[in-house]
Amino acid sequence: MEQVFRSEERGAAEARPLKLTPGFVATAEGSVLIEVGHTRVLCNASVENGVPGWMRNSGRGWVTAEYGMLPRATLTRSPREAEKGKIGGRTHEIQRLIGRSLRSVVDMKLLGERTVILDCDVLQADGGTRTAAITGACAALAIALGRLVDAGTIKESPLKEMVAATSVGIVDGRVLLDLDYSEDSRAEVDMNVVMTSGGGLVETQATAEKGTYSRAQLNEMLDVAEAGIKELLAAQRVVAGLK
């Protein structure tokens, strides 16, 4: 791949520096602060007894997510959505994406009638907040479920495999991995990829902002994203204490 010059002096297929800090919030069953470059998202997993009404007496659990961006996560202050009296469409979309990504790797029958809530709060945004939230939330979920097993609450972890996500795009005609805000804001194509450790795809959302992209470029973006996600999955397993 042609050499390009990017922030953090990284190559086209190189992700931003990654840091996962477990136990960032001591009161949560699972907590991970994920830092991807200058993007920082706090992910907390809370385990509650019971499930939504429509699932009662099913013997199955539920996993859901909430996402929010703090007022000074960006260069200018954004009002809290609570002040507006409603959650915005973008927030709804991201919450649903995080929830279905995590549900794809959980055996709900092994979880039993419990609900795991993943709270993903963006402390600082520099592109890729939703993909960082998925990656961090999965690590927090793994920690929380591991604690249930250690406590004897459940016999085995309902987590079938890990899931992580990254962004990829075409900027100035080149395929780049893990776009920061400056790259994302001028990308010809922007794509989010969510993938499990088994190689299954949960989400592939590619949008052409300027012009179109070819099938060959789509395949290249998927290949670059897959390689990046494998690195994220490896980091998750270390933080969660998985073999």
Side-chain angles (χ1 to χ4, degrees):
M1 186 174 289
E2 183 181 351
Q3 179 66 39
V4 296
F5 298 94
R6 311 174 65 193
S7 61
E8 289 95 18
E9 299 182 351
R10 57 195 175 113
E14 187 178 353
R16 290 174 288 178
L18 171 70
K19 183 179 179 181
L20 296 169
T21 305
F24 195 81
V25 173
T27 49
E29 284 84 356
S31 179
V32 170
L33 173 68
I34 180 170
E35 300 174 69
V36 183
H38 296 298
T39 289
R40 300 187 180 111
V41 184
L42 177 58
C43 304
N44 291 318
S46 302
V47 182
E48 299 182 351
N49 290 323
V51 291
W54 56 273
M55 292 191 70
R56 286 177 190 158
N57 302 317
S58 67
R60 297 171 61 84
W62 186 243
V63 175
T64 188
E66 294 188 12
Y67 168 96
M69 190 173 290
L70 297 187
R72 279 315 305 263
T74 53
L75 289 174
T76 57
R77 185 184 187 277
S78 301
R80 297 180 190 272
E81 290 186 316
E83 294 179 14
K84 301 176 183 178
K86 65 177 182 178
I87 296 176
R90 177 180 181 274
T91 299
H92 267 301
E93 175 200 351
I94 294 175
Q95 289 182 167
R96 289 168 62 88
L97 172 60
I98 299 169
R100 65 175 174 268
S101 297
L102 275 293
R103 287 193 292 273
S104 73
V105 293
V106 175
D107 185 325
M108 298 301 175
K109 287 193 72 68
L110 286 179
L111 180 59
E113 292 202 14
R114 299 177 183 85
T115 298
V116 183
I117 304 168
L118 285 311
D119 288 297
C120 303
D121 294 295
V122 179
L123 308 183
Q124 185 168 287
D126 185 31
T129 61
R130 71 185 68 194
T131 53
I134 291 168
T135 303
C138 185
L141 175 65
I143 293 170
L145 295 179
R147 287 184 174 177
L148 289 182
V149 174
D150 292 342
T153 305
I154 54 179
K155 292 183 178 180
E156 60 179 294
S157 176
L159 192 62
K160 299 178 290 185
E161 53 184 334
M162 301 295 280
V163 65
T166 192
S167 66
V168 64
I170 299 175
V171 182
D172 298 330
R174 302 182 182 94
V175 172
L176 303 183
L177 175 67
D178 190 17
L179 309 184
D180 61 23
Y181 177 76
S182 66
E183 294 168 334
D184 181 71
S185 63
R186 59 190 176 89
E188 294 103 69
V189 179
D190 181 25
M191 183 178 190
N192 295 312
V193 180
V194 185
M195 182 180 290
T196 70
S197 52
L201 291 166
V202 179
E203 184 99 353
T204 54
Q205 183 184 37
T207 304
E209 304 289 347
K210 304 167 186 175
T212 61
Y213 56 96
S214 68
R215 174 68 71 87
Q217 288 174 313
L218 175 60
N219 290 339
E220 183 182 356
M221 286 190 290
L222 284 171
D223 289 341
V224 169
E226 181 176 9
I229 287 173
K230 285 180 178 178
E231 295 181 3
L232 297 173
L233 292 165
Q236 283 177 329
R237 297 188 72 82
V238 172
V239 167
L242 301 175
K243 295 181 180 179

